[in-house]
Amino acid sequence: MSTVRRPQFAREHPRAFAALLTVVGYVVVIGTLYGDLGIYPEISESTVDLLAHAISVVNAATIVCLVLGIRWIKRGEIEKHRAAMLAAFGLILLFLVMYLLKTGGGGRKEIIAGAPLRSLYLGSLGIHIFLSVLAVPFVLYAITLGLTHTPAELRQTAHATVGRVAVTAWLVSLVLGLLAYGMLTFYYGPEQIEFVRGIA
């Protein structure tokens, strides 16, 4: 039995704790995208590009961690599964910091109307964003359960079911995000891209 003292509220009320974290996360992101928080340093377009590349690397690494986590839990290697999922969660927090800095302090790039395959790009980006938003409460709930319960206790919770939903939405979102990044970076030329500074 673990000797680590777990936060009692998170352990006894994991849904409420995950919901609270979800709301806080949504407020921070929405405030960055649509509010004028004034907390981000202004960055150049080249730094925005650099952060976009770094984000793609982080997202690719997250995919690797999630796939390994799935593989290990299917083999019953619980500690490896736990390590992979915590690594994926840590990477997504790193992504969030870079994304907020890139968007809040810099801007974003958009494909101009009439560009080829623009519908594919926008569709991939839209589904990516939708699944990202959808995955947040499931990921936080699964992580909360995993951090506050022993493996034996987890079998009596919804951890496995919620985890499957979380990982599915998360993985598809990440893959589509990388597809959109790849199109924006390698398919479209500078004349087809518009840099928009500031909030969404």
Side-chain angles (χ1 to χ4, degrees):
M1 183 174 176
S2 174
T3 59
V4 176
R5 177 178 291 179
R6 300 179 178 89
Q8 285 302 306
F9 180 77
R11 176 176 169 79
E12 295 172 3
H13 307 283
R15 289 182 186 174
F17 185 73
L20 177 62
L21 292 181
T22 298
V23 170
V24 170
Y26 286 161
V27 167
V28 171
V29 173
I30 292 171
T32 298
L33 293 176
Y34 299 103
D36 186 13
L37 299 182
I39 60 174
Y40 301 101
E42 185 172 321
I43 59 177
S44 65
E45 184 176 348
S46 62
T47 303
V48 169
D49 289 339
L50 182 62
L51 284 170
H53 300 325
I55 285 170
S56 72
V57 172
V58 167
N59 286 346
T62 305
I63 290 173
V64 172
C65 288
L66 291 175
V67 170
L68 287 174
I70 294 168
R71 180 180 182 184
W72 283 327
I73 197 61
K74 286 183 177 180
R75 292 181 172 185
E77 299 181 78
I78 295 173
E79 289 305 316
K80 288 184 178 180
H81 166 76
R82 176 186 171 92
M85 292 310 185
L86 288 177
F89 186 67
L91 286 169
I92 215 64
L93 292 179
L94 176 59
F95 153 80
L96 184 60
V97 170
M98 292 191 295
Y99 174 77
L100 292 176
L101 178 61
K102 178 177 81 76
T103 305
R108 66 196 187 281
K109 291 188 173 181
E110 295 182 350
I111 306 303
I112 63 172
L117 299 181
R118 185 170 183 262
S119 295
L120 174 62
Y121 169 79
L122 292 177
S124 299
L125 186 62
I127 296 171
H128 158 71
I129 293 171
F130 172 75
L131 289 177
S132 295
V133 172
L134 178 68
V136 170
F138 292 98
V139 170
L140 290 174
Y141 185 43
I143 287 287
T144 299
L145 287 173
L147 289 176
T148 58
H149 292 71
T150 66
E153 291 171 335
L154 283 176
R155 296 188 186 96
Q156 309 303 317
T157 71
H159 179 75
T161 302
V162 173
R164 280 191 287 271
V165 174
V167 167
T168 300
W170 199 356
L171 271 176
V172 174
S173 170
L174 288 168
V175 169
L176 290 176
L178 286 178
L179 173 62
Y181 162 80
M183 292 181 71
L184 187 64
T185 305
F186 303 109
Y187 178 73
Y188 292 109
E191 71 282 357
Q192 298 168 315
I193 298 173
E194 178 184 12
F195 180 73
V196 180
R197 180 168 290 282
I199 61 175

